[in-house]
Amino acid sequence: MPTGDLTQEQERLLVGRLIAGQDGAWEVFLQHFQGGISFCVRRAGISDDDHEDACAFVLESLFADGCRRLQLWEGRNGARLSTYLHAVSLNLARDYLRNLPRDVRFRAPEARIPETGRDIGIALGPEARALQSRLRDAILECLFSMPMGPDREILLFHFYAGLGAEDIARLSGKKRNAVDQALLRARRNLRDVAENVHPELVEYLEDEGRGA
């Protein structure tokens, strides 16, 4: 998801303008990030017939509840806005796919979709989807309570882009063993943060680490 000529400081200022509802901020956001969001929608396995509606769903969700999801990123050191949007947009697109009628859903290229580090499939009821959404938001809050650095970056791709160690290694050009070790360390640090921020996540993160 390219950022054009925006610096990290300009990204922060743009998000602040979006949250404040300033004129022109929406157009600037679309200019720099709409193409990347469209890419995430296609990567989620959504057909051309539903692509436009799915993009609209992702954008509406990003700006819902007073830009709550953007507020999670705003003003915190760490991952670039483009990295954050890639991860969040991909999961929102998958949420859209799960809500499609079953016959439409299974025309998509992916029949099963990884969710927050686990492949739980797409046959979820409303309560399960709501639980997964709360889980993602809690993990995201923990991630942005971590110090800036590679741990946060690798966990964003693991939990929010649904990437395993092999995919991360291929995209980053690192050896698989190095990525495995980095994920192990990052999960351990995330669990330590969760003990103070969301202690109810500790058991989940321990189980997720054992199942990786």
Side-chain angles (χ1 to χ4, degrees):
M1 187 179 288
T3 59
D5 56 355
L6 292 183
T7 65
Q8 194 162 11
E9 176 63 15
Q10 287 173 326
E11 289 178 347
R12 188 187 65 79
L13 292 174
L14 174 59
V15 170
R17 291 176 59 202
L18 288 165
I19 293 172
Q22 293 183 6
D23 291 342
W26 170 251
E27 288 77 9
V28 174
F29 178 86
L30 291 180
Q31 176 186 350
H32 289 281
F33 299 108
Q34 188 175 25
I37 290 172
S38 175
F39 168 80
C40 290
V41 167
R42 294 194 183 281
R43 184 177 174 190
I46 293 172
S47 69
D48 290 343
D49 291 341
D50 295 296
H51 181 264
E52 185 175 347
D53 287 343
C55 287
F57 172 82
V58 170
L59 288 168
E60 289 169 3
S61 299
L62 283 171
F63 292 92
D65 301 326
C67 298
R68 178 176 59 86
R69 288 182 172 87
L70 291 179
Q71 289 181 44
L72 285 171
W73 179 87
E74 185 200 24
R76 304 182 182 189
N77 293 324
R80 294 294 300 265
L81 178 60
S82 56
T83 301
Y84 175 78
L85 288 175
H86 180 101
V88 174
S89 297
L90 188 57
N91 273 281
L92 287 171
R94 288 167 174 163
D95 287 343
Y96 176 89
L97 183 59
R98 292 186 190 94
N99 288 319
L100 288 175
R102 187 177 179 84
D103 59 333
V104 175
R105 195 191 309 159
F106 280 90
R107 290 203 301 267
E110 292 182 322
R112 294 180 65 79
I113 304 170
E115 174 80 16
T116 319
R118 290 181 174 181
D119 182 7
I120 61 171
I122 57 179
L124 295 177
E127 292 184 2
R129 288 196 298 269
L131 177 63
Q132 288 295 324
S133 179
R134 291 195 298 271
L135 176 63
R136 289 200 304 269
D137 287 347
I139 292 176
L140 193 64
E141 186 175 349
C142 291
L143 284 174
F144 278 87
S145 296
M146 297 175 69
M148 175 181 176
D151 284 356
R152 182 189 295 179
E153 195 87 359
I154 198 171
L155 289 172
L156 274 171
F157 280 110
H158 175 62
F159 283 108
Y160 282 84
L163 299 181
E166 185 174 346
D167 290 327
I168 295 172
R170 185 173 63 253
L171 291 173
S172 65
K174 296 179 180 179
K175 293 183 178 180
R176 168 63 187 270
N177 184 59
V179 172
D180 285 334
Q181 294 300 317
L183 273 174
L184 181 65
R185 181 193 66 244
R187 285 195 193 96
R188 184 168 57 246
N189 291 338
L190 178 62
R191 187 181 64 243
D192 291 343
V193 170
E195 288 179 348
N196 296 317
V197 179
H198 279 288
E200 71 278 8
L201 287 178
V202 171
E203 183 177 356
Y204 169 83
L205 292 171
E206 290 176 349
D207 290 344
E208 199 275 340
R210 284 192 291 267

